[in-house]
Amino acid sequence: MNERKATISRNTLETQITVTVNLDGTGTSHFETGVPFLDHMMDQIARHGLIDLVVNAKGDLHIDAHHTVEDIGITLGQAFAEAVGDKKGITRYGHAYVPLDEALSRVVIDFSGRAGLEYHVPYTRGSVGGFDVDLFSEFFHGFVNHAKVTLHIDNLRGKNTHHQAETVFKAFGRALRMALQADERMAGITPSTKGSL
């Protein structure tokens, strides 16, 4: 596969965002967004996805975090779309279950070229560390609409809202890792032999 890296900038009246991704990284990350709990969650994407990720964002946080969180999701999706390219040779599908104490989440992804999100996370509280957890839905909507992926997110159980969110993001990172790896079934296969699979 070719080098899978991208840097995307998005500038609107509300936000100025730059995202850099390396899909074949080691899980290193750096964030300057002004939204600490989102940074903590995006770190899980990098660590568990083995994706190098840098996000710099300035937004209208004096109003609330909505525009910043949504636009980071959009910009991240655009960066993934550019880095993945034509998707040739990737596994395409990925899934993961991740527990954290009492919480358990499942994430399934398809780099289908079609945007679709099923998001079912019944958070037990409305905020963690001052972060409105409803905004995670906006983050993932922004991501899928611009990465052009089908994404199913289900928190299967959980009482601690921090644990619920963390299992979602860890599972998301691991599902990405699976979907983006090379499809070993296609290694060494020529066009003349593909029909026999």
Side-chain angles (χ1 to χ4, degrees):
M1 282 187 231
N2 295 327
E3 191 173 70
R4 301 187 299 174
K5 298 179 179 179
T7 297
I8 298 290
S9 293
R10 174 182 173 84
N11 295 296
T12 71
L13 292 176
E14 295 90 8
T15 62
Q16 297 81 48
I17 296 168
T18 300
V19 171
T20 298
V21 298
N22 176 4
L23 302 184
D24 303 300
T26 60
T28 63
S29 63
H30 178 76
F31 308 108
E32 291 184 17
T33 71
V35 188
F37 193 67
L38 178 64
D39 294 351
H40 177 47
M41 293 300 105
M42 290 192 295
D43 183 58
Q44 307 310 312
I45 299 173
R47 288 174 182 268
H48 289 268
L50 291 181
I51 295 163
D52 293 345
L53 180 58
V54 177
V55 180
N56 291 293
K58 293 182 180 178
D60 54 355
L61 297 178
H62 60 286
I63 298 174
D64 69 7
H66 187 285
H67 294 135
T68 302
V69 174
E70 180 180 24
D71 286 2
I72 289 172
I74 289 170
T75 313
L76 183 64
Q78 292 171 334
F80 265 74
E82 182 172 311
V84 171
D86 62 13
K87 298 177 282 189
K88 288 181 180 177
I90 67 169
T91 299
R92 177 177 157 176
Y93 301 99
H95 64 272
Y97 287 81
V98 170
L100 176 57
D101 297 344
E102 88 299 342
L104 174 66
S105 292
R106 175 185 61 216
V107 174
V108 184
I109 194 167
D110 175 12
F111 277 81
S112 59
R114 299 181 304 278
L117 176 65
E118 287 291 330
Y119 181 82
H120 305 280
V121 186
Y123 289 111
T124 56
R125 284 187 290 147
S127 66
V128 178
F131 181 85
D132 178 357
V133 294
D134 284 347
L135 297 181
F136 284 139
S137 174
E138 303 303 323
F139 173 87
F140 284 113
H141 271 103
F143 179 83
V144 301
N145 287 337
H146 293 269
K148 295 290 190 284
V149 299
T150 300
L151 181 64
H152 287 247
I153 297 175
D154 294 279
N155 173 241
L156 303 176
R157 62 180 60 92
K159 296 179 181 177
N160 181 302
T161 301
H162 189 137
H163 292 175
Q164 290 175 288
E166 193 160 329
T167 56
V168 163
F169 276 83
K170 286 179 175 176
F172 179 53
R174 288 183 171 268
L176 285 169
R177 181 175 169 184
M178 178 185 290
L180 293 169
Q181 70 186 356
D183 188 345
E184 299 300 333
R185 298 173 306 152
M186 302 306 287
I189 295 175
T190 64
S192 62
T193 61
K194 284 184 180 178
S196 63
L197 291 178

